[in-house]
Amino acid sequence: MIKDSSNTSKNTIEKDDDEIDLMALLWVLLRGWKIVLFFALLGLVIGVLYSRYVNPTFKSDALIQIEENSQGIAALGENISELVGSEASKAQTEAELIRSRMILEPVVTLLHLRIKLTDPNIGAVDKIKTNRIDSQINTPEGVSLDSEQGRVQVSQFDVSRAYLNRPFTLTKSETGFVLTDGFDEFKGQIGQAHKFRGNDGQIHITVNDLPDESYPIAISKQSLKATTDSINSALSVVEQGKQTGIIQLSMTGNSQEQVTNVLNQIVLSYIEQNQSRGSEETTKTLTFMETQIPALKEKLESSEAVFNEFRKEYGTIDVAKEAELLLTENSQIDTQLNELKLKKADLTTYYTNEHPLVVQINEQLAVLNSRKRDIDSTIAGLPEIQREFLKLSEDTAINREIYLTLLKNYEQLKIVKAGQIGFARIIDLPISTYKAIAPKKLQIIILALLLGAMLGTMLVLLKNLIRNVVKDPERIEVKTGIPVVATIPRSPLLSRIGKNKQASNRLLAHIDHNSMSYEAIKSLRTSLVFSMPKQTSVFENNHDNNGTTFIREGKIILVTGESPGVGKSFISANLAEVFAQLNKKVLVVDGDMRLGELHKIFNLSQDNGLADYLTEGHSRLSKLEKSMPVQPIADPSIESFIHPTGISDIDFIPRGRHPHNPASLLMSERFTQLMTVLKTQYDYIVIDSPPVLAASDSLILAQNADKVLMVTRYDKSIEGQVTYAVKQMHKANIQVDGIILNDVQQGLMDKYSYHYSYAYGDTK
């Protein structure tokens, strides 16, 4: 049908609705529930498999208290406290100390943590099946690993630097074991220590047990740094709270027994180091005293022996008052000098001579020595015997005082050392709970389910964004400016029959005449009948028989689509059938001379059809039309191309043989004359044309049509293609009278199910 190019519907086509319809998005998700459900179930399966694939992770905890100061020495007295000094420590500093190699290396050595045993025979499927893989256990006796074929135990494995971090394979043999790295092969006896020499160095190994023969076990020796780094990655050392002095140590791993043993040894190693450091001062002082006591004792004995010999020879000498005073003062100075020398000797153990305390003692020594020289010069004037007596008695007293003082301090420090406990104490040692902290299977499964659902949702939205299919009649009306004159529901019975390729009859009247699909076709017929102009009877004088003749003015209905597979042939055939029920003579023309298959619906052959008629050079029709210019009559040659369908009042013209120029044939005068003649013979002519976007045939056929209907398929046709097809029709000055939405599926998730008609009648 021709239209005015200024038709306002053209502007409606180009209207773009930029608003986001949230309800439309919701319905898009609901319609894509199968995709969302599929990916949700896929995520669920992946989550379950992953939760079984991952080895369980266990955790062990310990608590240590860090005291600010050590009070053990100060409690014994001010003098001892001054000798030993004090020590302070912060929890944060100690936390970093725990992670150092100074603490971890003894643990690594004790538990043989540098030896790594793995079972290479376990694959991903085995992990999923068993849900848990045994890990190695390190003890002071060696390293062990339980495998499917038996237990592995190695008590020694030392290699040269070139072999560090290199994988070896242990295999049990008939005579013992075989150790290989792919290049060298070493054989030994189980239970015996062996020393091998390879190309890159020496290997010391002691294998205590192996699984059955031909079951390989992977073994390697890690470097110290790699081992301590691995421990630190699983070790957490943090202070609980702020300035509490409580350090929490936690360690995670695949074996509860392993992490408990390792963490327990780390705690003990730190406490041992802490106690050693806390008593280090006392130990050094005792060592110094132990070296001084024998010398002082020997010096005292020597001075006493000389003094006794002098008294034995000269007897007792009375010293004058002045000499006694000088002697007393000199003795006190000597005592002070000795104490200062002792303190200086102790200080120089830790500090240099430039330290302020050492400088201060040196100054005091200088003053006392100066006074001592003055006293000595005074005493020098005394008689020789008196002076000798004073000298010997003074030496004996001083040596005795020094010796007794040092011996007393030595015994006190021994008591202090026995009671020193350091400034760190264990609050809680690690214990085994055997309760896995990871993986949290329920959380993983729920998260995987949600991620799968989210992925499915994104795919549905992306699919809807990229391929916006026709679903909403109102939306397609807005997009195209063409009304949706009918929505044809899917016929479940016809769909089941259509799966059988041998089934060819697809008319609803013969298969599913009580369905909503058939009622929708009838509703379309009613709409077309009332929308077409009324037919008028035309009478003319017939000179041959002196009477009048009735001239039919048949209506031509063109059924097309935007693309193949939308069901236009189905609509054409069934629409013709319901028109025939009105006692109207109907002709169905397969205008798709390329790929038309309308003949299959009527169980007819495609031969001797429209293409054949247009290509054959029949001249009789032209002669008849020239002799009767007022009223064209049927060309006898047309009848051979019109085939009865077996259905009352319905005839059919198939597509014929495939021509090389179908568009040119349709544009010929012969096709126009054919339509003019056929309109006089039939009340309705239904033409099934090729898709608009596939060929230009539909644009040519529409020039002769009274009604142009465009069929589009629900949930398959693309909105953009439908809109573009309508635009192409408008560019050719063709008015599309209506859109038929075919194969509409009804369901709970369909927002536009109200477009269905109710089946009224026998539904059995």
Side-chain angles (χ1 to χ4, degrees):
M1 181 178 180
I2 307 301
K3 80 168 187 70
D4 187 2
S5 61
S6 61
N7 195 293
T8 56
S9 63
K10 186 173 182 180
N11 296 329
T12 308
I13 299 174
E14 298 175 354
K15 185 184 298 183
D16 186 14
D17 185 10
D18 292 333
E19 296 181 0
I20 297 177
D21 190 349
L22 296 180
M23 288 299 298
L25 289 177
L26 177 61
W27 287 111
V28 166
L29 294 177
L30 292 178
R31 286 193 298 267
W33 67 271
K34 292 182 180 179
I35 296 178
V36 176
L37 180 61
F38 170 77
F39 279 95
L41 293 178
L42 180 63
L44 179 63
V45 171
I46 294 175
V48 172
L49 293 179
Y50 176 78
S51 63
R52 292 185 62 85
Y53 175 81
V54 178
N55 227 21
T57 301
F58 298 92
K59 183 178 181 180
S60 191
D61 298 304
L63 288 179
I64 296 176
Q65 180 184 10
I66 305 298
E67 297 176 349
E68 292 298 326
N69 294 303
S70 176
Q71 303 297 332
I73 296 177
L76 293 177
E78 182 178 357
N79 294 332
I80 299 301
S81 178
E82 290 179 356
L83 282 174
V84 178
S86 61
E87 183 86 15
S89 176
K90 299 294 183 181
Q92 289 294 337
T93 305
E94 296 303 313
E96 293 301 321
L97 181 64
I98 293 174
R99 305 174 69 95
S100 66
R101 285 194 293 272
M102 180 180 67
I103 302 299
L104 298 181
E105 186 173 357
V107 179
V108 171
T109 303
L110 177 65
L111 297 180
H112 310 281
L113 294 178
R114 296 175 62 183
I115 302 175
K116 293 297 177 183
L117 295 176
T118 54
D119 190 349
N121 306 283
I122 298 177
V125 178
D126 298 323
K127 292 182 179 180
I128 295 175
K129 286 182 179 179
T130 58
N131 195 22
R132 180 179 177 181
I133 303 301
D134 291 323
S135 302
Q136 70 177 39
I137 302 298
N138 293 71
T139 61
E141 290 75 25
V143 186
S144 60
L145 173 67
D146 290 329
S147 67
E148 186 177 333
Q149 299 295 327
R151 187 179 180 88
V152 187
Q153 188 172 14
V154 178
S155 59
Q156 181 191 15
F157 186 56
D158 296 322
V159 298
S160 59
R161 182 179 300 177
Y163 284 123
L164 289 177
N165 301 315
R166 183 184 296 185
F168 287 82
T169 301
L170 267 176
T171 308
K172 190 175 184 179
S173 63
E174 295 181 357
T175 58
F177 69 87
V178 176
L179 176 69
T180 177
D181 63 346
F183 301 99
D184 298 328
E185 186 175 288
F186 310 102
K187 297 181 180 181
Q189 300 293 326
I190 293 179
Q192 298 180 10
H194 292 277
K195 181 178 179 181
F196 303 116
R197 178 174 293 277
N199 294 329
D200 296 327
Q202 293 186 347
I203 300 174
H204 299 262
I205 187 170
T206 303
V207 180
N208 299 321
D209 198 3
L210 278 177
D212 295 340
E213 295 182 12
S214 302
Y215 193 86
I217 296 296
I219 183 172
S220 63
K221 180 81 170 185
Q222 286 187 330
S223 63
L224 178 62
K225 187 178 186 308
T227 306
T228 54
D229 289 345
S230 175
I231 294 175
N232 276 321
S233 65
L235 179 64
S236 173
V237 184
V238 295
E239 183 179 8
Q240 283 193 337
K242 187 176 182 180
Q243 300 296 329
T244 60
I246 303 296
I247 296 179
Q248 182 183 33
L249 293 84
S250 59
M251 193 171 188
T252 58
N254 296 331
S255 171
Q256 179 70 80
E257 182 181 353
Q258 176 80 346
V259 296
T260 301
N261 290 341
V262 174
L263 185 60
N264 185 72
Q265 292 300 327
I266 291 175
V267 172
L268 296 179
S269 176
Y270 168 71
I271 294 298
E272 181 180 356
Q273 183 275 338
N274 181 267
Q275 290 179 347
S276 298
R277 185 176 58 164
S279 61
E280 184 177 0
E281 238 179 294
T282 307
T283 303
K284 287 186 177 181
T285 305
L286 287 174
T287 303
F288 173 75
M289 289 182 174
E290 288 174 353
T291 60
Q292 295 298 315
I293 287 175
L296 291 175
K297 183 178 181 181
E298 182 180 355
K299 187 177 181 180
L300 174 60
E301 292 175 349
S302 176
S303 62
E304 287 179 344
V306 173
F307 182 63
N308 290 332
E309 285 294 328
F310 180 81
R311 291 185 62 184
K312 182 178 180 182
E313 182 178 354
Y314 296 101
T316 303
I317 299 176
D318 295 328
V319 183
K321 190 67 175 179
E322 182 179 357
E324 291 180 1
L325 293 175
L326 292 174
L327 180 61
T328 302
E329 183 180 357
N330 199 20
S331 177
Q332 293 175 355
I333 291 175
D334 289 336
T335 302
Q336 293 177 9
L337 287 173
N338 289 323
E339 290 179 352
L340 289 175
K341 289 179 180 179
L342 181 61
K343 187 174 293 186
K344 178 182 177 180
D346 182 64
L347 289 175
T348 52
T349 306
Y350 305 97
Y351 309 111
T352 62
N353 291 329
E354 288 78 13
H355 194 273
L357 294 178
V358 179
V359 172
Q360 183 180 3
I361 291 177
N362 288 333
E363 292 175 354
Q364 294 176 4
L365 288 172
V367 173
L368 292 175
N369 286 326
S370 178
R371 176 57 182 166
K372 181 176 177 61
R373 285 192 296 271
D374 294 339
I375 294 176
D376 291 337
S377 63
T378 303
I379 296 177
L382 295 177
E384 184 67 25
I385 296 177
Q386 290 181 342
R387 188 168 59 250
E388 186 68 20
F389 177 83
L390 292 175
K391 181 179 179 297
L392 293 177
S393 62
E394 177 185 351
D395 291 342
T396 303
I398 291 173
N399 291 334
R400 183 181 293 110
E401 183 68 23
I402 293 174
Y403 175 74
L404 293 177
T405 301
L406 187 62
L407 190 61
K408 176 183 178 182
N409 291 339
Y410 176 75
E411 296 297 331
Q412 287 180 335
L413 285 176
K414 287 174 62 176
I415 298 173
V416 169
K417 184 179 179 181
Q420 277 185 331
I421 58 175
F423 53 81
R425 66 167 179 164
I426 301 175
I427 299 178
D428 290 327
L429 277 172
I431 59 174
S432 298
T433 61
Y434 296 98
K435 183 178 180 181
I437 62 170
K440 297 182 178 180
K441 297 186 178 181
L442 182 60
Q443 293 184 8
I444 291 176
I445 292 173
I446 294 176
L447 182 60
L449 180 66
L450 293 178
L451 289 177
M454 289 175 61
L455 179 59
T457 301
M458 292 175 61
L459 290 178
V460 170
L461 294 176
L462 184 62
K463 177 184 176 183
N464 182 73
L465 180 64
I466 297 176
R467 187 175 182 269
N468 199 4
V469 295
V470 175
K471 288 182 177 289
D472 182 5
E474 296 175 355
R475 180 179 174 89
I476 200 65
E477 286 179 351
V478 173
K479 291 285 185 181
T480 62
I482 307 300
V484 177
V485 296
T487 56
I488 312 300
R490 172 179 291 185
S491 172
L493 181 58
L494 186 61
S495 299
R496 289 195 297 269
I497 295 176
K499 294 179 180 179
N500 184 5
K501 296 182 179 180
Q502 297 179 354
S504 57
N505 196 336
R506 298 175 59 190
L507 289 175
L508 290 171
H510 299 161
I511 296 177
D512 199 5
H513 63 277
N514 287 324
S515 65
M516 290 189 294
S517 305
Y518 195 46
E519 292 300 324
I521 297 289
K522 292 180 180 179
S523 298
L524 174 62
R525 176 196 66 186
T526 304
S527 175
L528 293 175
V529 168
F530 287 108
S531 64
M532 288 183 181
K534 299 293 183 180
Q535 292 186 1
T536 59
S537 298
V538 179
F539 295 88
E540 288 188 356
N541 291 327
N542 191 326
H543 301 288
D544 294 335
N545 52 19
N546 296 324
T548 59
T549 303
F550 177 75
I551 304 299
R552 271 194 179 94
E553 287 292 336
K555 302 300 179 183
I556 300 177
I557 302 173
L558 179 73
V559 181
T560 185
E562 86 285 352
S563 61
V566 296
K568 54 184 179 56
S569 299
F570 167 77
I571 297 295
S572 300
N574 285 280
L575 185 61
E577 192 275 330
V578 295
F579 269 118
Q581 293 181 12
L582 302 178
N583 295 322
K584 300 292 183 181
K585 197 168 184 182
V586 183
L587 175 65
V588 182
V589 180
D590 191 349
D592 189 354
M593 291 183 286
R594 292 176 172 83
L595 300 172
E597 295 185 352
L598 195 58
H599 58 278
K600 295 182 179 180
I601 296 180
F602 296 106
N603 292 323
L604 297 174
S605 172
Q606 73 178 47
D607 298 330
N608 201 21
L610 179 62
D612 302 314
Y613 172 78
L614 294 177
T615 54
E616 289 183 6
H618 295 283
S619 60
R620 284 177 292 177
L621 178 60
S622 300
K623 293 178 180 180
L624 289 172
E625 290 176 350
K626 289 180 181 180
S627 64
M628 301 179 63
V630 178
Q631 175 180 324
I633 61 176
D635 184 354
S637 65
I638 298 178
E639 296 178 356
S640 61
F641 297 95
I642 300 175
H643 306 278
T645 61
I647 303 174
S648 178
D649 295 327
I650 299 179
D651 290 334
F652 176 59
I653 297 180
R655 66 182 175 95
R657 291 172 296 180
H658 184 201
H660 67 280
N661 56 345
S664 300
L665 294 176
L666 293 176
M667 294 183 68
S668 66
E669 186 66 24
R670 187 170 179 80
F671 177 74
T672 304
Q673 294 174 357
L674 174 64
M675 290 293 102
T676 303
V677 173
L678 293 177
K679 287 174 65 174
T680 64
Q681 298 182 7
Y682 294 94
D683 296 303
Y684 294 99
I685 300 174
V686 180
I687 302 178
D688 180 18
S689 75
V692 176
L693 301 181
S696 62
D697 299 8
S698 57
L699 302 179
I700 303 171
L701 292 170
Q703 305 293 330
N704 299 280
D706 298 294
K707 287 287 184 181
V708 178
L709 302 177
M710 181 169 289
V711 180
T712 183
R713 190 160 193 152
Y714 178 87
D715 201 23
K716 181 178 179 182
S717 297
I718 309 299
E719 283 186 357
Q721 292 182 356
V722 177
T723 304
Y724 184 71
V726 173
K727 286 183 179 180
Q728 293 298 104
M729 301 287 278
H730 286 167
K731 289 179 181 179
N733 291 330
I734 300 170
Q735 171 64 44
V736 179
D737 297 286
I739 295 176
I740 300 173
L741 186 57
N742 186 32
D743 199 31
V744 179
Q745 303 175 43
Q746 185 181 19
L748 296 176
M749 298 303 176
D750 294 313
K751 175 182 177 183
Y752 307 103
S753 59
Y754 60 79
H755 288 278
Y756 280 92
S757 301
Y758 288 98
Y760 189 74
D762 186 10
T763 58
K764 295 182 182 179

